[in-house]
Amino acid sequence: MSRPGTPDHPLRVAVVGAGPAGFFAAEHLFKQEGLGVEVDVFDRLPTPYGLVRAGVAPDHQKIKSVTRVYEKTAAKPGFRFYGNVTFGSDLDLDDLRSHYHAVIFTTGAQMDRALGIPGEDLPRSHSATEFVAWYNGHPDYRDLEFDLSQKSVAVVGVGNVAVDVARILCKTTDELAATDIADHALEALRESRVEDVYLLGRRGPAQAAFTTPEVKEMGEIPGTDVIVLPEEARLDPLSEQAMAESDDRALARKVQLIQDFSGRSPSGRPRRLHMRFLVSPVELTPAADGGVGGMRLVHNELRDAGKGNLRPRPTERTEELEVGLVFRSVGYRGVELPGVPFRDDWGVIPNVCGRIVDAAGSPLAGMYTAGWIKRGPSGIIGTNKACSVETVTLLLEDLAADTLPRPEHPSAEAADRLVRARQPLVFDFEDWKRLDELEKKRGAASGRPRVKFTTVREMAEALGR
Ligand code: NAP
Protein backbone atom coordinates (compact mmCIF):
# COMPACT_ATOMS: atom_id res chain seq x y z
CA MET A 1 0.00 0.00 0.00
CA SER A 2 1.30 3.45 -0.91
CA ARG A 3 2.08 6.15 1.61
CA PRO A 4 -1.10 7.74 3.05
CA GLY A 5 -1.97 11.42 2.82
CA THR A 6 -3.86 11.74 -0.47
CA PRO A 7 -7.60 12.41 -0.88
CA ASP A 8 -8.16 8.79 -1.95
CA HIS A 9 -5.91 7.34 0.69
CA PRO A 10 -6.01 9.81 3.58
CA LEU A 11 -3.76 9.81 6.61
CA ARG A 12 -5.98 8.55 9.44
CA VAL A 13 -5.27 9.85 12.91
CA ALA A 14 -6.97 8.98 16.21
CA VAL A 15 -6.77 11.61 18.94
CA VAL A 16 -7.59 10.34 22.43
CA GLY A 17 -8.80 13.22 24.61
CA ALA A 18 -10.90 16.12 23.31
CA GLY A 19 -9.30 18.88 25.37
CA PRO A 20 -7.23 21.82 24.09
CA ALA A 21 -4.18 19.69 23.19
CA GLY A 22 -6.33 17.27 21.17
CA PHE A 23 -8.11 20.05 19.27
CA PHE A 24 -4.87 21.94 18.62
CA ALA A 25 -3.31 18.74 17.24
CA ALA A 26 -6.30 18.20 14.93
CA GLU A 27 -6.17 21.86 13.85
CA HIS A 28 -2.54 21.56 12.85
CA LEU A 29 -3.18 18.40 10.85
CA PHE A 30 -5.98 20.08 8.89
CA LYS A 31 -3.75 23.10 8.27
CA GLN A 32 -1.35 21.09 6.09
CA GLU A 33 -1.80 22.09 2.51
CA GLY A 34 -2.32 19.23 0.10
CA LEU A 35 -2.56 16.62 2.86
CA GLY A 36 -5.50 14.22 2.74
CA VAL A 37 -6.24 13.65 6.40
CA GLU A 38 -9.04 12.29 8.60
CA VAL A 39 -9.03 12.86 12.34
CA ASP A 40 -11.27 11.06 14.83
CA VAL A 41 -11.22 12.65 18.28
CA PHE A 42 -12.34 10.43 21.17
CA ASP A 43 -13.36 11.44 24.67
CA ARG A 44 -14.68 9.47 27.60
CA LEU A 45 -17.19 12.27 28.24
CA PRO A 46 -20.08 12.97 25.86
CA THR A 47 -18.95 16.62 25.69
CA PRO A 48 -15.75 17.98 24.14
CA TYR A 49 -13.17 20.57 25.35
CA GLY A 50 -11.68 18.88 28.44
CA LEU A 51 -10.50 21.40 30.99
CA VAL A 52 -12.03 24.33 29.12
CA ARG A 53 -15.38 22.92 30.19
CA ALA A 54 -14.43 21.08 33.39
CA GLY A 55 -11.43 23.04 34.68
CA VAL A 56 -11.49 26.72 33.72
CA ALA A 57 -13.23 28.68 36.48
CA PRO A 58 -16.88 29.49 35.76
CA ASP A 59 -16.23 33.19 36.44
CA HIS A 60 -13.57 33.21 33.69
CA GLN A 61 -15.94 32.99 30.71
CA LYS A 62 -13.61 34.92 28.42
CA ILE A 63 -10.98 32.16 28.59
CA LYS A 64 -13.62 29.71 27.37
CA SER A 65 -14.09 31.60 24.11
CA VAL A 66 -11.14 29.57 22.76
CA THR A 67 -13.79 26.94 21.94
CA ARG A 68 -14.68 29.00 18.85
CA VAL A 69 -11.32 27.96 17.40
CA TYR A 70 -12.11 24.32 18.20
CA GLU A 71 -15.51 24.64 16.52
CA LYS A 72 -13.75 25.70 13.32
CA THR A 73 -11.57 22.61 13.49
CA ALA A 74 -14.60 20.43 14.11
CA ALA A 75 -16.22 21.87 10.97
CA LYS A 76 -13.40 20.59 8.72
CA PRO A 77 -14.34 17.75 6.40
CA GLY A 78 -12.60 14.67 7.77
CA PHE A 79 -13.13 15.61 11.44
CA ARG A 80 -15.27 13.37 13.65
CA PHE A 81 -15.93 13.52 17.39
CA TYR A 82 -16.73 10.35 19.34
CA GLY A 83 -17.90 11.32 22.82
CA ASN A 84 -18.71 8.86 25.62
CA VAL A 85 -16.09 6.46 24.28
CA THR A 86 -13.51 5.36 26.85
CA PHE A 87 -10.04 4.32 25.78
CA GLY A 88 -9.13 1.18 27.68
CA SER A 89 -12.68 -0.17 28.02
CA ASP A 90 -14.66 0.63 24.85
CA LEU A 91 -11.56 0.68 22.64
CA ASP A 92 -8.05 -0.53 23.27
CA LEU A 93 -4.70 0.19 21.71
CA ASP A 94 -4.95 -2.71 19.23
CA ASP A 95 -8.31 -1.36 18.00
CA LEU A 96 -6.77 2.03 17.29
CA ARG A 97 -3.58 0.61 15.78
CA SER A 98 -5.61 -1.51 13.36
CA HIS A 99 -7.73 1.46 12.16
CA TYR A 100 -5.37 4.46 12.18
CA HIS A 101 -1.90 5.28 10.91
CA ALA A 102 -1.18 7.33 14.00
CA VAL A 103 -2.59 7.80 17.51
CA ILE A 104 -2.08 10.96 19.56
CA PHE A 105 -2.78 10.70 23.28
CA THR A 106 -3.94 14.02 24.74
CA THR A 107 -5.64 12.83 27.93
CA GLY A 108 -4.34 15.56 30.22
CA ALA A 109 -3.76 15.11 33.94
CA GLN A 110 -6.89 14.06 35.79
CA MET A 111 -5.46 13.11 39.17
CA ASP A 112 -4.21 15.30 41.98
CA ARG A 113 -0.92 15.15 43.78
CA ALA A 114 -0.98 14.27 47.47
CA LEU A 115 0.79 16.08 50.31
CA GLY A 116 1.90 12.89 52.03
CA ILE A 117 1.20 14.15 55.55
CA PRO A 118 -0.67 12.53 58.47
CA GLY A 119 -4.39 13.27 58.51
CA GLU A 120 -4.57 13.92 54.78
CA ASP A 121 -7.31 11.30 54.42
CA LEU A 122 -9.58 12.68 57.15
CA PRO A 123 -13.14 13.54 56.16
CA ARG A 124 -13.35 17.16 54.91
CA SER A 125 -9.86 16.94 53.37
CA HIS A 126 -10.18 16.98 49.59
CA SER A 127 -8.21 17.62 46.45
CA ALA A 128 -8.85 20.86 44.60
CA THR A 129 -9.19 18.70 41.48
CA GLU A 130 -12.38 17.16 42.89
CA PHE A 131 -13.85 20.48 43.97
CA VAL A 132 -13.09 22.12 40.61
CA ALA A 133 -14.62 19.20 38.67
CA TRP A 134 -17.66 19.30 40.99
CA TYR A 135 -18.40 23.01 40.61
CA ASN A 136 -17.85 22.73 36.86
CA GLY A 137 -20.40 19.93 36.53
CA HIS A 138 -18.09 17.07 35.48
CA PRO A 139 -20.39 14.01 35.44
CA ASP A 140 -17.95 11.86 37.46
CA TYR A 141 -17.77 14.40 40.29
CA ARG A 142 -21.26 15.91 40.46
CA ASP A 143 -22.36 13.73 43.39
CA LEU A 144 -19.48 14.67 45.70
CA GLU A 145 -20.29 16.60 48.84
CA PHE A 146 -18.25 19.32 50.49
CA ASP A 147 -19.04 20.55 53.98
CA LEU A 148 -19.49 24.25 53.34
CA SER A 149 -20.95 24.75 56.81
CA GLN A 150 -17.35 25.17 58.00
CA LYS A 151 -16.27 28.74 58.75
CA SER A 152 -12.57 28.33 57.98
CA VAL A 153 -11.09 26.65 54.92
CA ALA A 154 -7.48 26.10 53.90
CA VAL A 155 -6.32 25.77 50.32
CA VAL A 156 -2.80 24.32 50.20
CA GLY A 157 -0.67 25.64 47.34
CA VAL A 158 -0.55 29.01 45.63
CA GLY A 159 -0.97 28.14 41.96
CA ASN A 160 -3.77 29.43 39.75
CA VAL A 161 -5.96 26.45 40.61
CA ALA A 162 -5.68 27.30 44.32
CA VAL A 163 -6.67 30.87 43.47
CA ASP A 164 -9.68 29.67 41.46
CA VAL A 165 -10.85 27.58 44.41
CA ALA A 166 -10.35 30.44 46.86
CA ARG A 167 -12.24 32.85 44.59
CA ILE A 168 -15.19 30.50 44.16
CA LEU A 169 -15.35 30.10 47.95
CA CYS A 170 -15.21 33.86 48.48
CA LYS A 171 -17.67 35.09 45.85
CA THR A 172 -21.31 35.71 46.70
CA THR A 173 -24.17 33.68 45.26
CA ASP A 174 -25.19 36.67 43.15
CA GLU A 175 -21.74 36.83 41.60
CA LEU A 176 -21.64 33.09 40.98
CA ALA A 177 -25.17 33.06 39.59
CA ALA A 178 -23.94 35.12 36.63
CA THR A 179 -21.56 32.28 35.62
CA ASP A 180 -22.00 28.78 34.22
CA ILE A 181 -21.13 27.14 37.54
CA ALA A 182 -23.03 23.84 37.87
CA ASP A 183 -26.49 24.24 39.41
CA HIS A 184 -25.77 21.76 42.22
CA ALA A 185 -22.67 23.78 43.19
CA LEU A 186 -24.56 27.06 43.07
CA GLU A 187 -27.19 25.65 45.42
CA ALA A 188 -24.58 24.25 47.82
CA LEU A 189 -22.56 27.48 47.80
CA ARG A 190 -25.75 29.47 48.48
CA GLU A 191 -25.81 27.82 51.92
CA SER A 192 -22.06 28.32 52.49
CA ARG A 193 -21.01 29.60 55.92
CA VAL A 194 -17.38 30.01 54.89
CA GLU A 195 -15.89 33.23 56.28
CA ASP A 196 -12.12 32.70 56.25
CA VAL A 197 -10.16 31.18 53.38
CA TYR A 198 -6.42 30.58 53.84
CA LEU A 199 -4.21 30.20 50.78
CA LEU A 200 -1.00 28.54 51.95
CA GLY A 201 2.27 29.03 50.08
CA ARG A 202 5.33 27.07 51.16
CA ARG A 203 7.69 29.67 49.69
CA GLY A 204 7.57 33.46 49.53
CA PRO A 205 5.61 35.97 47.42
CA ALA A 206 8.34 36.04 44.76
CA GLN A 207 8.04 32.26 44.24
CA ALA A 208 4.24 32.01 44.20
CA ALA A 209 3.03 30.11 41.12
CA PHE A 210 -0.14 32.17 40.61
CA THR A 211 0.04 34.80 37.89
CA THR A 212 -0.25 38.56 38.24
CA PRO A 213 -3.79 39.09 36.83
CA GLU A 214 -5.08 36.40 39.20
CA VAL A 215 -3.54 38.19 42.20
CA LYS A 216 -5.09 41.49 41.13
CA GLU A 217 -8.47 39.80 40.78
CA MET A 218 -8.27 38.49 44.35
CA GLY A 219 -8.15 42.07 45.57
CA GLU A 220 -11.32 42.92 43.64
CA ILE A 221 -13.85 40.53 45.17
CA PRO A 222 -16.45 42.93 46.59
CA GLY A 223 -17.46 40.91 49.68
CA THR A 224 -13.95 39.86 50.65
CA ASP A 225 -11.03 41.49 52.44
CA VAL A 226 -7.61 40.23 51.36
CA ILE A 227 -5.23 39.86 54.28
CA VAL A 228 -1.46 39.42 53.96
CA LEU A 229 0.82 39.57 57.00
CA PRO A 230 3.48 42.26 56.48
CA GLU A 231 6.24 39.95 57.74
CA GLU A 232 5.26 37.34 55.12
CA ALA A 233 4.96 39.86 52.29
CA ARG A 234 8.46 41.19 52.93
CA LEU A 235 11.10 39.55 50.75
CA ASP A 236 13.94 37.65 52.34
CA PRO A 237 17.49 38.64 51.24
CA LEU A 238 17.77 35.75 48.73
CA SER A 239 14.49 36.64 46.99
CA GLU A 240 15.35 40.32 47.07
CA GLN A 241 18.65 39.63 45.34
CA ALA A 242 16.99 37.37 42.76
CA MET A 243 14.38 40.06 42.03
CA ALA A 244 17.06 42.74 41.72
CA GLU A 245 18.90 40.63 39.14
CA SER A 246 15.78 39.79 37.17
CA ASP A 247 13.96 42.00 34.70
CA ASP A 248 10.72 40.06 35.09
CA ARG A 249 8.25 42.92 35.25
CA ALA A 250 5.20 40.73 35.74
CA LEU A 251 6.89 39.19 38.78
CA ALA A 252 7.78 42.62 40.17
CA ARG A 253 4.16 43.70 39.72
CA LYS A 254 2.90 40.53 41.40
CA VAL A 255 5.12 41.03 44.43
CA GLN A 256 4.10 44.69 44.57
CA LEU A 257 0.40 43.74 44.55
CA ILE A 258 0.96 41.28 47.41
CA GLN A 259 2.87 43.88 49.39
CA ASP A 260 0.09 46.39 48.75
CA PHE A 261 -2.39 43.91 50.22
CA SER A 262 -0.26 43.67 53.35
CA GLY A 263 -0.72 47.39 53.86
CA ARG A 264 -4.53 47.20 53.68
CA SER A 265 -6.63 47.12 56.83
CA PRO A 266 -9.63 44.78 56.76
CA SER A 267 -12.80 46.79 56.11
CA GLY A 268 -15.20 44.40 57.83
CA ARG A 269 -16.40 42.59 54.71
CA PRO A 270 -18.21 39.31 55.35
CA ARG A 271 -15.34 37.15 54.05
CA ARG A 272 -11.60 37.22 54.43
CA LEU A 273 -9.02 35.74 52.08
CA HIS A 274 -5.75 35.24 53.94
CA MET A 275 -2.75 34.83 51.67
CA ARG A 276 -0.03 33.13 53.67
CA PHE A 277 3.59 32.54 52.71
CA LEU A 278 6.52 30.45 53.94
CA VAL A 279 4.29 27.91 55.70
CA SER A 280 3.79 24.17 55.08
CA PRO A 281 1.13 21.93 56.58
CA VAL A 282 2.79 19.01 58.36
CA GLU A 283 -0.33 17.39 59.80
CA LEU A 284 -4.11 17.65 59.57
CA THR A 285 -5.68 17.18 62.98
CA PRO A 286 -9.18 15.84 63.66
CA ALA A 287 -12.10 17.68 65.28
CA ALA A 288 -14.38 15.91 67.79
CA ASP A 289 -16.55 14.63 64.92
CA GLY A 290 -13.53 12.91 63.30
CA GLY A 291 -13.32 15.29 60.35
CA VAL A 292 -10.61 17.90 59.82
CA GLY A 293 -10.48 20.35 62.72
CA GLY A 294 -7.17 22.03 62.08
CA MET A 295 -3.71 21.81 60.69
CA ARG A 296 -0.23 22.13 62.09
CA LEU A 297 1.93 24.45 60.04
CA VAL A 298 5.67 24.72 60.07
CA HIS A 299 7.24 28.04 59.14
CA ASN A 300 9.83 27.83 56.38
CA GLU A 301 12.84 29.82 55.31
CA LEU A 302 14.31 29.81 51.83
CA ARG A 303 17.63 28.30 50.88
CA ASP A 304 19.46 28.44 47.58
CA ALA A 305 19.35 24.97 46.05
CA GLY A 306 21.63 26.07 43.22
CA LYS A 307 21.13 27.99 39.99
CA GLY A 308 18.95 30.50 41.80
CA ASN A 309 16.36 27.89 42.71
CA LEU A 310 15.08 28.91 46.14
CA ARG A 311 13.59 26.00 48.07
CA PRO A 312 11.70 25.95 51.38
CA ARG A 313 13.45 24.65 54.51
CA PRO A 314 11.45 24.08 57.70
CA THR A 315 12.37 26.09 60.79
CA GLU A 316 11.61 25.21 64.43
CA ARG A 317 8.59 27.51 64.43
CA THR A 318 5.16 25.90 64.20
CA GLU A 319 1.61 27.20 64.30
CA GLU A 320 -1.85 25.67 64.71
CA LEU A 321 -4.46 26.81 62.22
CA GLU A 322 -8.11 26.09 62.97
CA VAL A 323 -9.79 24.99 59.75
CA GLY A 324 -12.69 22.61 59.15
CA LEU A 325 -12.22 22.01 55.44
CA VAL A 326 -9.03 21.54 53.43
CA PHE A 327 -8.35 21.51 49.70
CA ARG A 328 -4.90 20.48 48.54
CA SER A 329 -3.99 22.22 45.31
CA VAL A 330 -0.40 21.18 44.76
CA GLY A 331 -0.59 20.12 41.13
CA TYR A 332 -2.28 17.55 38.91
CA ARG A 333 -0.83 14.31 37.59
CA GLY A 334 -1.55 12.13 34.57
CA VAL A 335 -3.19 8.72 34.68
CA GLU A 336 -1.71 5.61 33.03
CA LEU A 337 -3.53 4.39 29.91
CA PRO A 338 -3.79 0.63 29.26
CA GLY A 339 -1.08 -0.54 26.89
CA VAL A 340 0.60 2.86 26.67
CA PRO A 341 4.02 3.45 28.30
CA PHE A 342 3.86 5.56 31.45
CA ARG A 343 6.37 7.25 33.74
CA ASP A 344 4.81 6.88 37.12
CA ASP A 345 7.32 9.14 38.86
CA TRP A 346 6.47 12.06 36.56
CA GLY A 347 2.85 11.15 35.82
CA VAL A 348 3.39 11.48 32.04
CA ILE A 349 3.72 9.31 28.92
CA PRO A 350 7.46 9.00 28.18
CA ASN A 351 8.20 10.81 24.93
CA VAL A 352 10.76 12.78 23.02
CA CYS A 353 9.14 16.02 21.84
CA GLY A 354 5.85 14.14 21.44
CA ARG A 355 7.01 10.83 19.97
CA ILE A 356 6.13 8.14 22.52
CA VAL A 357 9.14 6.04 23.48
CA ASP A 358 9.48 2.61 25.09
CA ALA A 359 11.50 1.77 28.19
CA ALA A 360 14.69 1.69 26.11
CA GLY A 361 13.95 5.17 24.75
CA SER A 362 13.11 4.01 21.22
CA PRO A 363 10.15 5.68 19.48
CA LEU A 364 7.04 3.55 19.01
CA ALA A 365 6.00 3.97 15.38
CA GLY A 366 2.74 5.88 14.98
CA MET A 367 2.36 6.73 18.70
CA TYR A 368 2.36 10.35 19.85
CA THR A 369 1.33 12.51 22.75
CA ALA A 370 0.62 16.19 23.43
CA GLY A 371 -0.56 18.45 26.25
CA TRP A 372 -0.34 17.79 29.99
CA ILE A 373 0.04 14.01 29.59
CA LYS A 374 3.12 14.75 27.45
CA ARG A 375 4.84 17.46 29.47
CA GLY A 376 3.09 17.64 32.86
CA PRO A 377 0.48 20.06 34.18
CA SER A 378 1.91 23.45 33.36
CA GLY A 379 1.13 26.53 31.34
CA ILE A 380 -2.05 28.14 30.12
CA ILE A 381 -4.42 26.79 27.45
CA GLY A 382 -2.44 28.42 24.66
CA THR A 383 0.73 26.64 25.79
CA ASN A 384 -0.83 23.46 24.47
CA LYS A 385 -0.97 24.86 20.95
CA ALA A 386 2.82 24.98 20.57
CA CYS A 387 3.03 21.62 22.32
CA SER A 388 0.59 19.99 19.87
CA VAL A 389 2.22 21.64 16.86
CA GLU A 390 5.58 20.20 17.96
CA THR A 391 4.07 16.71 18.14
CA VAL A 392 2.20 16.94 14.84
CA THR A 393 5.33 18.25 13.12
CA LEU A 394 7.12 15.04 14.11
CA LEU A 395 4.15 12.94 13.01
CA LEU A 396 4.35 14.64 9.59
CA GLU A 397 8.10 14.02 9.46
CA ASP A 398 7.44 10.34 10.10
CA LEU A 399 4.78 10.37 7.39
CA ALA A 400 7.27 11.92 4.96
CA ALA A 401 9.90 9.35 5.95
CA ASP A 402 7.26 6.66 5.43
CA THR A 403 7.78 5.13 8.88
CA LEU A 404 4.13 5.14 9.97
CA PRO A 405 2.61 1.69 10.41
CA ARG A 406 0.04 0.40 7.92
CA PRO A 407 -3.22 -0.38 9.72
CA GLU A 408 -5.28 -3.39 8.72
CA HIS A 409 -8.53 -1.40 8.30
CA PRO A 410 -7.65 2.13 7.25
CA SER A 411 -11.19 3.29 6.47
CA ALA A 412 -13.44 5.78 8.20
CA GLU A 413 -16.41 3.41 7.81
CA ALA A 414 -14.59 0.50 9.48
CA ALA A 415 -13.62 2.68 12.46
CA ASP A 416 -17.16 4.03 12.77
CA ARG A 417 -18.63 0.51 12.73
CA LEU A 418 -16.22 -0.63 15.40
CA VAL A 419 -16.84 2.34 17.72
CA ARG A 420 -20.63 2.08 17.46
CA ALA A 421 -20.54 -1.67 18.04
CA ARG A 422 -18.55 -1.14 21.21
CA GLN A 423 -20.43 1.91 22.48
CA PRO A 424 -23.91 2.39 21.05
CA LEU A 425 -24.44 5.64 23.01
CA VAL A 426 -21.88 7.65 21.05
CA PHE A 427 -22.19 11.45 21.01
CA ASP A 428 -20.94 13.07 17.80
CA PHE A 429 -20.17 16.74 17.19
CA GLU A 430 -23.71 17.43 15.92
CA ASP A 431 -25.00 16.04 19.22
CA TRP A 432 -22.65 18.38 21.07
CA LYS A 433 -23.87 21.37 19.05
CA ARG A 434 -27.43 20.56 20.05
CA LEU A 435 -26.48 20.11 23.70
CA ASP A 436 -24.56 23.38 23.56
CA GLU A 437 -27.63 25.19 22.22
CA LEU A 438 -29.89 23.59 24.82
CA GLU A 439 -27.54 24.51 27.67
CA LYS A 440 -27.37 28.10 26.46
CA LYS A 441 -31.14 28.25 26.15
CA ARG A 442 -31.53 26.97 29.71
CA GLY A 443 -29.06 29.64 30.83
CA ALA A 444 -30.74 32.50 28.97
CA ALA A 445 -33.90 31.99 31.03
CA SER A 446 -31.98 32.97 34.18
CA GLY A 447 -29.42 35.40 32.71
CA ARG A 448 -26.59 32.87 32.79
CA PRO A 449 -24.15 31.90 29.99
CA ARG A 450 -25.45 28.32 30.17
CA VAL A 451 -26.89 25.79 32.56
CA LYS A 452 -24.86 22.62 32.13
CA PHE A 453 -26.10 19.09 31.82
CA THR A 454 -24.11 17.16 34.39
CA THR A 455 -25.00 13.52 33.76
CA VAL A 456 -24.67 11.36 30.68
CA ARG A 457 -28.28 10.30 31.15
CA GLU A 458 -29.55 13.92 31.12
CA MET A 459 -27.56 14.55 27.96
CA ALA A 460 -28.93 11.46 26.23
CA GLU A 461 -32.48 12.33 27.26
CA ALA A 462 -32.12 15.92 26.09
CA LEU A 463 -31.25 14.52 22.65
CA GLY A 464 -34.20 12.13 22.77
CA ARG A 465 -32.02 9.03 22.92
P1 NAP B 1 1.00 24.99 39.79
O1 NAP B 1 0.93 26.29 39.10
O2 NAP B 1 2.12 24.08 39.48
O3 NAP B 1 0.99 25.30 41.38
C1 NAP B 1 1.17 24.30 42.32
C2 NAP B 1 1.36 24.93 43.67
O4 NAP B 1 1.46 23.89 44.65
C3 NAP B 1 2.65 25.74 43.80
O5 NAP B 1 2.39 26.87 44.59
C4 NAP B 1 3.58 24.77 44.52
O6 NAP B 1 4.57 25.40 45.29
C5 NAP B 1 2.59 24.12 45.45
N1 NAP B 1 3.07 22.88 46.02
C6 NAP B 1 3.52 21.78 45.38
N2 NAP B 1 3.83 20.82 46.26
C7 NAP B 1 3.57 21.33 47.49
C8 NAP B 1 3.67 20.82 48.80
N3 NAP B 1 4.09 19.59 49.04
N4 NAP B 1 3.31 21.61 49.83
C9 NAP B 1 2.86 22.86 49.61
N5 NAP B 1 2.73 23.40 48.38
C10 NAP B 1 3.08 22.64 47.34
O7 NAP B 1 -0.30 24.08 39.55
P2 NAP B 1 -1.86 24.40 39.45
O8 NAP B 1 -2.27 25.54 40.30
O9 NAP B 1 -2.50 23.09 39.64
O10 NAP B 1 -2.04 24.84 37.94
C11 NAP B 1 -1.69 23.99 36.85
C12 NAP B 1 -1.45 24.83 35.61
O11 NAP B 1 -2.70 25.36 35.14
C13 NAP B 1 -0.56 26.03 35.86
O12 NAP B 1 0.29 26.22 34.78
C14 NAP B 1 -1.54 27.17 35.99
O13 NAP B 1 -1.00 28.44 35.69
C15 NAP B 1 -2.60 26.76 34.98
N6 NAP B 1 -3.87 27.43 35.31
C16 NAP B 1 -4.07 28.65 34.77
C17 NAP B 1 -5.21 29.35 35.09
C18 NAP B 1 -5.41 30.71 34.51
O14 NAP B 1 -4.77 31.05 33.53
N7 NAP B 1 -6.25 31.54 35.09
C19 NAP B 1 -6.15 28.82 35.97
C20 NAP B 1 -5.91 27.56 36.52
C21 NAP B 1 -4.75 26.87 36.18
P3 NAP B 1 6.11 25.42 44.78
O15 NAP B 1 6.14 26.47 43.71
O16 NAP B 1 6.84 25.77 46.00
O17 NAP B 1 6.42 24.05 44.24
Side-chain angles (χ1 to χ4, degrees):
M1 181 66 93
S2 61
R3 197 168 69 189
T6 60
D8 294 343
H9 179 36
L11 170 70
R12 296 194 30 74
V13 181
V15 173
V16 181
F23 269 92
F24 286 133
E27 179 189 352
H28 200 57
L29 283 164
F30 286 118
K31 249 194 192 156
Q32 305 307 311
E33 224 152 282
L35 178 71
V37 60
E38 293 173 348
V39 183
D40 289 347
V41 178
F42 297 91
D43 203 285
R44 68 193 186 89
L45 291 185
T47 51
Y49 307 150
L51 276 191
V52 176
R53 181 172 166 98
V56 171
D59 57 343
H60 280 175
Q61 286 299 313
K62 247 197 202 157
I63 297 182
K64 300 189 188 217
S65 59
V66 67
T67 57
R68 282 193 219 121
V69 178
Y70 307 150
E71 282 167 7
K72 279 193 188 149
T73 300
K76 298 278 179 202
F79 176 96
R80 295 190 301 194
F81 172 64
Y82 287 103
N84 201 32
V85 177
T86 303
F87 177 83
S89 54
D90 297 322
L91 292 178
D92 63 19
L93 186 58
D94 286 342
D95 294 325
L96 296 185
R97 305 280 279 164
S98 58
H99 288 80
Y100 300 89
H101 300 99
V103 186
I104 310 178
F105 291 95
T106 53
T107 47
Q110 293 115 283
M111 289 285 292
D112 65 290
R113 286 190 186 276
L115 290 167
I117 59 170
E120 191 168 2
D121 297 325
L122 287 174
R124 297 199 296 267
S125 161
H126 309 273
S127 70
T129 324
E130 290 170 335
F131 188 60
V132 169
W134 171 77
Y135 66 59
N136 275 324
H138 188 301
D140 294 354
Y141 297 82
R142 57 149 289 140
D143 294 326
L144 295 183
E145 282 177 19
F146 300 94
D147 183 355
L148 298 168
S149 70
Q150 300 298 321
K151 287 197 168 145
S152 292
V153 186
V155 184
V156 184
V158 285
N160 281 334
V161 172
V163 174
D164 284 347
V165 167
R167 229 182 30 253
I168 295 300
L169 288 167
C170 286
K171 284 201 165 176
T172 61
T173 313
D174 282 351
E175 289 169 285
L176 295 175
T179 75
D180 68 353
I181 191 167
D183 265 359
H184 56 255
L186 188 61
E187 287 318 307
L189 285 159
R190 199 185 290 282
E191 306 298 320
S192 165
R193 299 215 200 115
V194 171
E195 290 176 4
D196 289 278
V197 177
Y198 295 86
L199 265 179
L200 305 175
R202 63 177 168 179
R203 299 190 285 163
Q207 293 81 32
F210 48 50
T211 39
T212 310
E214 278 64 27
V215 182
K216 186 164 173 284
E217 199 181 357
M218 276 189 274
E220 293 165 352
I221 308 174
T224 299
D225 279 320
V226 180
I227 298 173
V228 180
L229 302 173
E231 63 271 28
E232 289 181 357
R234 211 172 297 130
L235 295 188
D236 65 295
L238 286 174
S239 301
E240 210 157 59
Q241 189 191 335
M243 293 270 301
E245 289 167 3
S246 142
D247 54 2
D248 186 339
R249 288 174 54 188
L251 174 62
R253 170 99 181 105
K254 178 162 78 178
V255 170
Q256 186 59 52
L257 282 166
I258 293 168
Q259 293 180 336
D260 290 349
F261 288 149
S262 77
R264 283 191 191 178
S265 325
S267 61
R269 299 181 192 188
R271 285 182 175 144
R272 288 162 296 278
L273 174 51
H274 308 258
M275 227 186 279
R276 299 286 312 266
F277 295 101
L278 290 163
V279 287
S280 288
V282 286
E283 183 178 2
L284 302 189
T285 48
D289 68 358
V292 172
M295 61 168 49
R296 184 163 307 127
L297 295 173
V298 66
H299 286 247
N300 298 324
E301 58 190 9
L302 294 178
R303 68 181 174 90
D304 191 346
K307 292 187 185 157
N309 180 15
L310 303 184
R311 303 305 309 164
R313 176 168 54 200
T315 65
E316 299 283 300
R317 212 177 129 209
T318 59
E319 175 185 336
E320 304 292 328
L321 187 66
E322 215 179 293
V323 285
L325 184 63
V326 173
F327 295 106
R328 57 178 180 278
S329 181
V330 295
Y332 288 75
R333 62 177 270 116
V335 175
E336 184 169 3
L337 296 162
V340 182
F342 191 66
R343 277 227 35 183
D344 196 50
D345 48 351
W346 296 351
V348 300
I349 296 176
N351 69 91
V352 177
C353 303
R355 279 191 187 107
I356 299 181
V357 296
D358 63 14
S362 308
L364 297 171
M367 301 260 287
Y368 304 87
T369 180
W372 278 7
I373 193 67
K374 165 184 168 185
R375 58 171 216 282
S378 65
I380 56 172
I381 291 167
T383 314
N384 295 296
K385 181 159 180 170
C387 181
S388 295
V389 166
E390 178 185 58
T391 296
V392 168
T393 303
L394 294 185
L395 190 164
L396 295 169
E397 262 178 34
D398 294 343
L399 170 69
D402 204 11
T403 57
L404 293 181
R406 300 286 193 263
E408 246 171 276
H409 314 288
S411 85
E413 297 72 29
D416 188 70
R417 268 196 306 276
L418 175 80
V419 177
R420 289 178 192 279
R422 297 285 177 76
Q423 173 52 282
L425 191 58
V426 159
F427 291 71
D428 63 20
F429 206 77
E430 283 306 310
D431 291 332
W432 160 244
K433 287 205 303 214
R434 281 180 59 206
L435 288 175
D436 188 32
E437 276 311 308
L438 288 169
E439 286 188 343
K440 285 182 183 154
K441 217 183 238 172
R442 286 166 18 131
S446 45
R448 308 183 56 195
R450 71 174 66 235
V451 171
K452 286 181 180 177
F453 295 110
T454 58
T455 67
V456 179
R457 196 197 164 117
E458 263 183 323
M459 295 182 209
E461 281 175 2
L463 296 174
R465 316 232 329 238

